[in-house]
Amino acid sequence: MASLQGYVDRRVLLVLQDGRVIVGTLVGFDQKSNVVLSESKERVYSMEEGVEEIPLGLYLVKGDMIVLIGEIDDAIDEAVDLATIHAEPILPIRY
Amino acid sequence: MDPSTTGIQEPFDLIRLSLSERVFVKLRGDRELTGILHAYDGHMNLILSDVEETIMMVDPVDENFEGQGTVKVAKRKMEMLFVRGDGVILVSPPSRT
Amino acid sequence: MLIFSVFKTLTDQRVTVELKNDLSISGVLKSVDQFLNIRLDSIKVLDETRHPHMMAVKNCFIRGSVVRYVQLPAEHVDTQLLEDATRREAANQTRR
């Protein structure tokens, strides 16, 4: 089973179907890969400005909306100055 | 054709008889593949080898010219590929010509 | 079930997963489930300058439903075995 068990209490990055990127601490999940994050923030990417972080707090994401869940390497993440990163947003999923 | 001689009674039989042959696959998102078919299942998930993918992109600048948009074609090759069935529109057996 | 089994035999091999949002991620296949959800280790996003979003991510869980393709290591795929297994499964389907 490609389970999310190993990600509990870890800092994770979610990519959603609409292209949004959300980071937070994974506090729980279920069979349908519905996910609860604490201290979560959306990272908004654009070419014009650096990455903007919008606090979302405790957040529930429906499994259907999730593209990918990645475990964040905190050392690498903290070494990156998000304000200097300019990038196109991730494209939405197209079936 | 008589089904008893071709062995084709239902759609999936056509795909079964194409195993280990080169097939043409049309996909969502204006993509096409040709490749040698090695496996499939009821979702039309496929495993192909020696794959060539063709992606058609219409240049958005020309789109207003009543369908006269220039179509850009990108091609790439892949050695062994799993294709998820939900993107498959059609699978066509090799031409017998 | 057949495709699920194929992926299981490819555990610990490096694959490239292409998603329906045009992201391509290569990584070592760690596990797969019946929905073809995939766990990858030591991941690398192709074209990282255009996609810096996952710079700090080293392993990930990908939902099966968002996968377009998975490029497989050809040398670890026994095509004859695959075709035999596919014919067997097709025969079981019609006999049911």
Side-chain angles (χ1 to χ4, degrees):
Chain A
M1 177 78 187
S3 156
L4 292 169
Q5 191 54 56
Y7 292 144
V8 174
D9 292 334
R10 305 287 176 85
R11 288 243 306 144
V12 294
L13 179 147
L14 267 58
V15 177
L16 305 187
Q17 300 254 3
D18 58 7
R20 279 187 295 163
V21 175
I22 294 172
V23 297
T25 305
L26 185 77
V27 291
F29 69 94
D30 66 13
Q31 285 285 12
K32 294 165 141 181
S33 61
N34 297 318
V35 150
V36 178
L37 300 177
S38 69
E39 298 160 75
S40 63
K41 295 173 194 146
E42 178 177 351
R43 287 185 178 172
V44 183
Y45 288 82
S46 75
M47 288 308 275
E48 293 74 35
E49 289 166 70
V51 178
E52 189 187 352
E53 281 200 321
I54 298 167
L56 302 171
L58 192 63
Y59 212 63
L60 183 147
V61 184
K62 256 194 105 182
D64 300 340
M65 285 299 297
I66 295 170
V67 170
L68 165 161
I69 301 177
E71 185 185 349
I72 293 176
D73 184 322
D74 285 317
I76 300 176
D77 200 51
E78 283 156 21
V80 175
D81 183 3
L82 287 174
T84 65
I85 304 286
H86 295 243
E88 296 283 0
I90 292 177
L91 294 173
I93 292 283
R94 293 205 46 188
Y95 286 94
Chain B
M1 251 190 292
D2 180 0
S4 61
T5 55
T6 59
I8 297 176
Q9 276 140 25
E10 50 174 290
F12 273 104
D13 290 341
L14 195 67
I15 303 180
R16 193 187 71 241
L17 293 171
S18 303
L19 277 170
S20 79
E21 305 229 39
R22 185 164 287 278
V23 293
F24 169 82
V25 182
K26 193 170 161 60
L27 297 171
R28 285 167 177 260
D30 299 313
R31 289 163 195 267
E32 293 173 359
L33 303 173
T34 69
I36 298 167
L37 181 67
H38 298 296
Y40 68 86
D41 67 11
H43 303 288
M44 278 217 211
N45 292 318
L46 310 172
I47 295 177
L48 305 170
S49 73
D50 192 18
V51 181
E52 183 172 75
E53 183 194 36
T54 309
I55 311 171
M56 265 86 55
M57 287 164 291
V58 177
D59 203 331
V61 182
D62 291 355
E63 231 166 12
N64 296 329
F65 290 95
E66 291 176 34
Q68 299 273 311
T70 37
V71 180
K72 275 200 292 184
V73 176
K75 281 186 191 278
R76 72 178 160 152
K77 289 184 191 255
M78 289 162 285
E79 218 180 339
M80 187 69 68
L81 191 68
F82 161 77
V83 181
R84 190 165 166 101
D86 57 5
V88 175
I89 294 172
L90 70 86
V91 180
S92 153
S95 57
R96 306 277 180 198
T97 50
Chain C
M1 230 44 205
L2 171 82
I3 303 280
F4 172 46
S5 310
V6 174
F7 276 108
K8 276 200 288 190
T9 66
L10 293 171
T11 306
D12 292 325
Q13 301 299 330
R14 187 163 273 276
V15 297
T16 301
V17 181
E18 184 174 321
L19 307 182
K20 290 177 182 135
N21 58 11
D22 290 349
L23 266 183
S24 285
I25 303 168
S26 94
V28 177
L29 185 66
K30 286 324 275 188
S31 64
V32 61
D33 64 21
Q34 75 268 34
F35 305 112
L36 306 184
N37 297 324
I38 288 173
R39 271 206 54 174
L40 294 181
D41 260 10
S42 311
I43 66 160
K44 225 176 151 41
V45 175
L46 278 66
D47 198 0
E48 208 166 24
T49 44
R50 263 191 65 183
H51 302 291
H53 317 74
M54 291 172 53
M55 260 189 306
V57 175
K58 289 298 148 231
N59 63 76
C60 70
F61 165 95
I62 299 171
R63 257 185 139 244
S65 60
V66 301
V67 171
R68 179 185 293 136
Y69 302 137
V70 183
Q71 285 174 247
L72 309 173
E75 65 277 20
H76 292 283
V77 178
D78 183 336
T79 54
Q80 190 57 57
L81 206 76
L82 272 184
E83 289 165 21
D84 293 345
T86 303
R87 286 195 187 92
R88 234 178 294 128
E89 194 164 88
N92 287 337
Q93 292 293 316
T94 42
R95 228 180 287 133
R96 109 192 94 97

PDB file of all heavy atoms in Angstrom, chain A residues 60-78:
ATOM      1  N   LEU A  60      -8.340  21.313   5.976  1.00  0.00           N
ATOM      2  CA  LEU A  60      -8.671  19.973   5.514  1.00  0.00           C
ATOM      3  C   LEU A  60      -8.725  19.982   3.990  1.00  0.00           C
ATOM      4  O   LEU A  60      -9.403  20.826   3.404  1.00  0.00           O
ATOM      5  CB  LEU A  60     -10.029  19.542   6.092  1.00  0.00           C
ATOM      6  CG  LEU A  60     -10.472  18.120   5.739  1.00  0.00           C
ATOM      7  CD1 LEU A  60     -11.265  17.510   6.885  1.00  0.00           C
ATOM      8  CD2 LEU A  60     -11.304  18.062   4.466  1.00  0.00           C
ATOM      9  N   VAL A  61      -8.005  19.070   3.366  1.00  0.00           N
ATOM     10  CA  VAL A  61      -8.015  18.996   1.908  1.00  0.00           C
ATOM     11  C   VAL A  61      -8.652  17.677   1.500  1.00  0.00           C
ATOM     12  O   VAL A  61      -8.244  16.604   1.966  1.00  0.00           O
ATOM     13  CB  VAL A  61      -6.586  19.086   1.324  1.00  0.00           C
ATOM     14  CG1 VAL A  61      -6.639  19.100  -0.200  1.00  0.00           C
ATOM     15  CG2 VAL A  61      -5.871  20.330   1.837  1.00  0.00           C
ATOM     16  N   LYS A  62      -9.645  17.754   0.641  1.00  0.00           N
ATOM     17  CA  LYS A  62     -10.289  16.530   0.144  1.00  0.00           C
ATOM     18  C   LYS A  62      -9.327  15.744  -0.736  1.00  0.00           C
ATOM     19  O   LYS A  62      -8.623  16.320  -1.573  1.00  0.00           O
ATOM     20  CB  LYS A  62     -11.520  16.911  -0.690  1.00  0.00           C
ATOM     21  CG  LYS A  62     -12.819  16.696   0.041  1.00  0.00           C
ATOM     22  CD  LYS A  62     -14.003  16.763  -0.900  1.00  0.00           C
ATOM     23  CE  LYS A  62     -14.553  15.388  -1.171  1.00  0.00           C
ATOM     24  NZ  LYS A  62     -15.666  15.366  -2.106  1.00  0.00           N
ATOM     25  N   GLY A  63      -9.328  14.439  -0.563  1.00  0.00           N
ATOM     26  CA  GLY A  63      -8.429  13.571  -1.323  1.00  0.00           C
ATOM     27  C   GLY A  63      -8.529  13.757  -2.824  1.00  0.00           C
ATOM     28  O   GLY A  63      -7.521  13.736  -3.531  1.00  0.00           O
ATOM     29  N   ASP A  64      -9.760  13.953  -3.311  1.00  0.00           N
ATOM     30  CA  ASP A  64      -9.982  14.120  -4.753  1.00  0.00           C
ATOM     31  C   ASP A  64      -9.223  15.306  -5.335  1.00  0.00           C
ATOM     32  O   ASP A  64      -8.944  15.351  -6.532  1.00  0.00           O
ATOM     33  CB  ASP A  64     -11.472  14.364  -5.052  1.00  0.00           C
ATOM     34  CG  ASP A  64     -12.342  13.224  -4.586  1.00  0.00           C
ATOM     35  OD1 ASP A  64     -11.795  12.122  -4.384  1.00  0.00           O
ATOM     36  OD2 ASP A  64     -13.556  13.441  -4.437  1.00  0.00           O
ATOM     37  N   MET A  65      -8.949  16.294  -4.483  1.00  0.00           N
ATOM     38  CA  MET A  65      -8.293  17.527  -4.955  1.00  0.00           C
ATOM     39  C   MET A  65      -6.773  17.395  -5.046  1.00  0.00           C
ATOM     40  O   MET A  65      -6.103  18.266  -5.586  1.00  0.00           O
ATOM     41  CB  MET A  65      -8.617  18.679  -3.985  1.00  0.00           C
ATOM     42  CG  MET A  65     -10.019  19.236  -4.101  1.00  0.00           C
ATOM     43  SD  MET A  65     -10.300  19.892  -5.732  1.00  0.00           S
ATOM     44  CE  MET A  65      -9.092  21.222  -5.760  1.00  0.00           C
ATOM     45  N   ILE A  66      -6.235  16.305  -4.466  1.00  0.00           N
ATOM     46  CA  ILE A  66      -4.780  16.200  -4.316  1.00  0.00           C
ATOM     47  C   ILE A  66      -4.128  15.554  -5.538  1.00  0.00           C
ATOM     48  O   ILE A  66      -4.599  14.539  -6.044  1.00  0.00           O
ATOM     49  CB  ILE A  66      -4.435  15.409  -3.033  1.00  0.00           C
ATOM     50  CG1 ILE A  66      -4.902  16.199  -1.812  1.00  0.00           C
ATOM     51  CG2 ILE A  66      -2.936  15.104  -2.950  1.00  0.00           C
ATOM     52  CD1 ILE A  66      -4.840  15.413  -0.522  1.00  0.00           C
ATOM     53  N   VAL A  67      -3.070  16.178  -6.008  1.00  0.00           N
ATOM     54  CA  VAL A  67      -2.247  15.607  -7.075  1.00  0.00           C
ATOM     55  C   VAL A  67      -1.100  14.822  -6.452  1.00  0.00           C
ATOM     56  O   VAL A  67      -0.806  13.692  -6.841  1.00  0.00           O
ATOM     57  CB  VAL A  67      -1.674  16.731  -7.984  1.00  0.00           C
ATOM     58  CG1 VAL A  67      -0.625  16.187  -8.931  1.00  0.00           C
ATOM     59  CG2 VAL A  67      -2.805  17.413  -8.743  1.00  0.00           C
ATOM     60  N   LEU A  68      -0.476  15.443  -5.463  1.00  0.00           N
ATOM     61  CA  LEU A  68       0.788  14.908  -4.959  1.00  0.00           C
ATOM     62  C   LEU A  68       1.036  15.422  -3.544  1.00  0.00           C
ATOM     63  O   LEU A  68       0.648  16.559  -3.217  1.00  0.00           O
ATOM     64  CB  LEU A  68       1.841  15.398  -5.939  1.00  0.00           C
ATOM     65  CG  LEU A  68       3.327  15.404  -5.757  1.00  0.00           C
ATOM     66  CD1 LEU A  68       3.946  15.525  -7.124  1.00  0.00           C
ATOM     67  CD2 LEU A  68       3.780  16.536  -4.875  1.00  0.00           C
ATOM     68  N   ILE A  69       1.626  14.576  -2.714  1.00  0.00           N
ATOM     69  CA  ILE A  69       2.038  14.982  -1.374  1.00  0.00           C
ATOM     70  C   ILE A  69       3.512  14.667  -1.235  1.00  0.00           C
ATOM     71  O   ILE A  69       3.922  13.514  -1.450  1.00  0.00           O
ATOM     72  CB  ILE A  69       1.241  14.232  -0.280  1.00  0.00           C
ATOM     73  CG1 ILE A  69      -0.259  14.508  -0.446  1.00  0.00           C
ATOM     74  CG2 ILE A  69       1.714  14.641   1.114  1.00  0.00           C
ATOM     75  CD1 ILE A  69      -1.142  13.752   0.531  1.00  0.00           C
ATOM     76  N   GLY A  70       4.316  15.672  -0.933  1.00  0.00           N
ATOM     77  CA  GLY A  70       5.759  15.441  -0.817  1.00  0.00           C
ATOM     78  C   GLY A  70       6.243  15.795   0.570  1.00  0.00           C
ATOM     79  O   GLY A  70       5.726  16.723   1.199  1.00  0.00           O
ATOM     80  N   GLU A  71       7.238  15.038   1.049  1.00  0.00           N
ATOM     81  CA  GLU A  71       7.831  15.343   2.352  1.00  0.00           C
ATOM     82  C   GLU A  71       8.891  16.428   2.160  1.00  0.00           C
ATOM     83  O   GLU A  71       9.748  16.316   1.288  1.00  0.00           O
ATOM     84  CB  GLU A  71       8.479  14.077   2.934  1.00  0.00           C
ATOM     85  CG  GLU A  71       9.000  14.280   4.332  1.00  0.00           C
ATOM     86  CD  GLU A  71       9.750  13.053   4.859  1.00  0.00           C
ATOM     87  OE1 GLU A  71       9.681  11.985   4.211  1.00  0.00           O
ATOM     88  OE2 GLU A  71      10.408  13.180   5.894  1.00  0.00           O
ATOM     89  N   ILE A  72       8.815  17.484   2.987  1.00  0.00           N
ATOM     90  CA  ILE A  72       9.744  18.609   2.856  1.00  0.00           C
ATOM     91  C   ILE A  72      11.011  18.336   3.659  1.00  0.00           C
ATOM     92  O   ILE A  72      10.946  17.948   4.822  1.00  0.00           O
ATOM     93  CB  ILE A  72       9.079  19.915   3.341  1.00  0.00           C
ATOM     94  CG1 ILE A  72       7.941  20.297   2.390  1.00  0.00           C
ATOM     95  CG2 ILE A  72      10.096  21.051   3.438  1.00  0.00           C
ATOM     96  CD1 ILE A  72       7.155  21.511   2.837  1.00  0.00           C
ATOM     97  N   ASP A  73      12.150  18.533   3.006  1.00  0.00           N
ATOM     98  CA  ASP A  73      13.440  18.509   3.699  1.00  0.00           C
ATOM     99  C   ASP A  73      13.637  19.914   4.272  1.00  0.00           C
ATOM    100  O   ASP A  73      13.917  20.864   3.552  1.00  0.00           O
ATOM    101  CB  ASP A  73      14.542  18.156   2.690  1.00  0.00           C
ATOM    102  CG  ASP A  73      15.902  18.024   3.367  1.00  0.00           C
ATOM    103  OD1 ASP A  73      16.176  18.815   4.293  1.00  0.00           O
ATOM    104  OD2 ASP A  73      16.675  17.135   2.972  1.00  0.00           O
ATOM    105  N   ASP A  74      13.457  20.036   5.610  1.00  0.00           N
ATOM    106  CA  ASP A  74      13.442  21.364   6.233  1.00  0.00           C
ATOM    107  C   ASP A  74      14.738  22.136   6.004  1.00  0.00           C
ATOM    108  O   ASP A  74      14.705  23.345   5.795  1.00  0.00           O
ATOM    109  CB  ASP A  74      13.162  21.241   7.739  1.00  0.00           C
ATOM    110  CG  ASP A  74      11.693  20.929   7.999  1.00  0.00           C
ATOM    111  OD1 ASP A  74      10.850  21.550   7.330  1.00  0.00           O
ATOM    112  OD2 ASP A  74      11.399  20.090   8.861  1.00  0.00           O
ATOM    113  N   ALA A  75      15.855  21.437   6.031  1.00  0.00           N
ATOM    114  CA  ALA A  75      17.153  22.119   5.850  1.00  0.00           C
ATOM    115  C   ALA A  75      17.195  22.810   4.493  1.00  0.00           C
ATOM    116  O   ALA A  75      17.599  23.980   4.395  1.00  0.00           O
ATOM    117  CB  ALA A  75      18.289  21.111   5.973  1.00  0.00           C
ATOM    118  N   ILE A  76      16.748  22.100   3.454  1.00  0.00           N
ATOM    119  CA  ILE A  76      16.758  22.691   2.107  1.00  0.00           C
ATOM    120  C   ILE A  76      15.731  23.808   2.025  1.00  0.00           C
ATOM    121  O   ILE A  76      15.999  24.882   1.505  1.00  0.00           O
ATOM    122  CB  ILE A  76      16.461  21.616   1.031  1.00  0.00           C
ATOM    123  CG1 ILE A  76      17.527  20.520   1.081  1.00  0.00           C
ATOM    124  CG2 ILE A  76      16.405  22.244  -0.366  1.00  0.00           C
ATOM    125  CD1 ILE A  76      17.271  19.365   0.134  1.00  0.00           C
ATOM    126  N   ASP A  77      14.554  23.559   2.587  1.00  0.00           N
ATOM    127  CA  ASP A  77      13.470  24.541   2.493  1.00  0.00           C
ATOM    128  C   ASP A  77      13.848  25.858   3.170  1.00  0.00           C
ATOM    129  O   ASP A  77      13.571  26.935   2.652  1.00  0.00           O
ATOM    130  CB  ASP A  77      12.188  23.966   3.114  1.00  0.00           C
ATOM    131  CG  ASP A  77      10.945  24.690   2.622  1.00  0.00           C
ATOM    132  OD1 ASP A  77      10.801  24.824   1.398  1.00  0.00           O
ATOM    133  OD2 ASP A  77      10.139  25.128   3.462  1.00  0.00           O
ATOM    134  N   GLU A  78      14.513  25.754   4.333  1.00  0.00           N
ATOM    135  CA  GLU A  78      14.879  26.960   5.069  1.00  0.00           C
ATOM    136  C   GLU A  78      16.026  27.707   4.405  1.00  0.00           C
ATOM    137  O   GLU A  78      16.189  28.913   4.580  1.00  0.00           O
ATOM    138  CB  GLU A  78      15.220  26.606   6.525  1.00  0.00           C
ATOM    139  CG  GLU A  78      13.963  26.365   7.351  1.00  0.00           C
ATOM    140  CD  GLU A  78      14.210  25.479   8.569  1.00  0.00           C
ATOM    141  OE1 GLU A  78      15.381  25.369   9.007  1.00  0.00           O
ATOM    142  OE2 GLU A  78      13.229  24.896   9.064  1.00  0.00           O
TER     143      GLU A  78
END
